[in-house]
């Protein structure tokens, strides 16, 4: 009887442990400094790589997640919008057009890998629709 109990307890602990797997994605606070740094970096890289004449900015953060790897990986989904600012100042901050037709909202998901002790941050992937 004790073998059945031991196996049952082990199975329950294993199942709970798998739900919070180390190294898995977890929800992150949008106001977390690491999330904010990753998001700012991703937006600058997004603007540098786009063919648009105007800068885009984050209108709303939809979801932020993080994963402990050799550093920290961030997966951030945002609603973006166009600004009236031209791309000549890529690091410039501008407000999004208030007129939705001018803002042309779209959604992006950015994957950013940060290793602060190496002063390294990379935009690993971006998907925009």
């Amino acid at each position: 009887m004790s073998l059945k109990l031991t196996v049952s307890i082990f199975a329950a602990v294993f199942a709970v442990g798998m739900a919070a797997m180390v190294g898995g994605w977890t929800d992150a606070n949008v106001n977390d400094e690491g999330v904010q740094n990753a998001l700012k970096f991703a937006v600058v890289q997004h603007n540098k790589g786009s063919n648009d004449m105007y800068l885009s900015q984050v209108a709303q953060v939809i979801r932020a997640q993080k994963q402990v790897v050799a550093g920290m990986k961030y997966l951030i989904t945002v609603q973006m919008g166009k600004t009236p600012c031209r791309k000549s100042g890529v690091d410039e901050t501008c407000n999004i057009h208030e007129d939705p037709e001018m803002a042309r909202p779209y959604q992006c998901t950015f994957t950013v890998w940060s290793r602060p002790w190496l002063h390294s941050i990379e935009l690993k992937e971006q998907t925009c629709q």
Side-chain angles (χ1 to χ4, degrees):
M1 188 68 153
S2 68
L3 181 60
K4 282 186 179 179
L5 181 61
T6 303
V7 170
S8 297
I9 291 172
F10 177 78
V13 169
F14 182 76
V16 170
M18 290 303 288
M21 190 182 330
V22 175
W25 289 102
T26 59
D27 287 333
N29 184 333
V30 175
N31 297 316
D32 177 78
E33 183 180 0
V35 173
Q36 286 295 310
N37 289 340
L39 182 55
K40 288 176 187 171
F41 178 79
V43 170
V44 168
Q45 296 306 307
H46 171 72
N47 280 318
K48 284 181 180 178
S50 82
N51 291 327
D52 201 303
M53 289 176 34
Y54 297 94
L55 292 174
S56 293
Q57 290 294 336
V58 174
Q60 176 187 9
V61 176
I62 297 168
R63 185 172 190 189
Q65 295 180 291
K66 61 184 177 180
Q67 178 184 38
V68 177
V69 291
M72 188 69 74
K73 220 181 223 184
Y74 297 95
L75 184 64
I76 307 168
T77 303
V78 295
Q79 185 76 28
M80 301 285 287
K82 303 290 180 190
T83 72
C85 298
R86 291 194 176 263
K87 282 179 61 172
S88 57
V90 173
D91 294 324
E92 187 176 352
T93 302
C94 299
N95 292 327
I96 296 170
H97 281 287
E98 290 183 19
D99 178 0
E101 208 169 294
M102 297 292 288
R104 296 179 301 194
Y106 60 100
Q107 185 173 305
C108 289
T109 299
F110 301 115
T111 303
V112 179
W113 181 27
S114 174
R115 295 176 295 170
W117 66 94
L118 295 175
H119 305 290
S120 171
I121 188 166
E122 298 175 36
L123 179 61
K124 299 303 279 181
E125 187 177 347
Q126 70 174 324
T127 307
C128 298
Q129 307 171 357

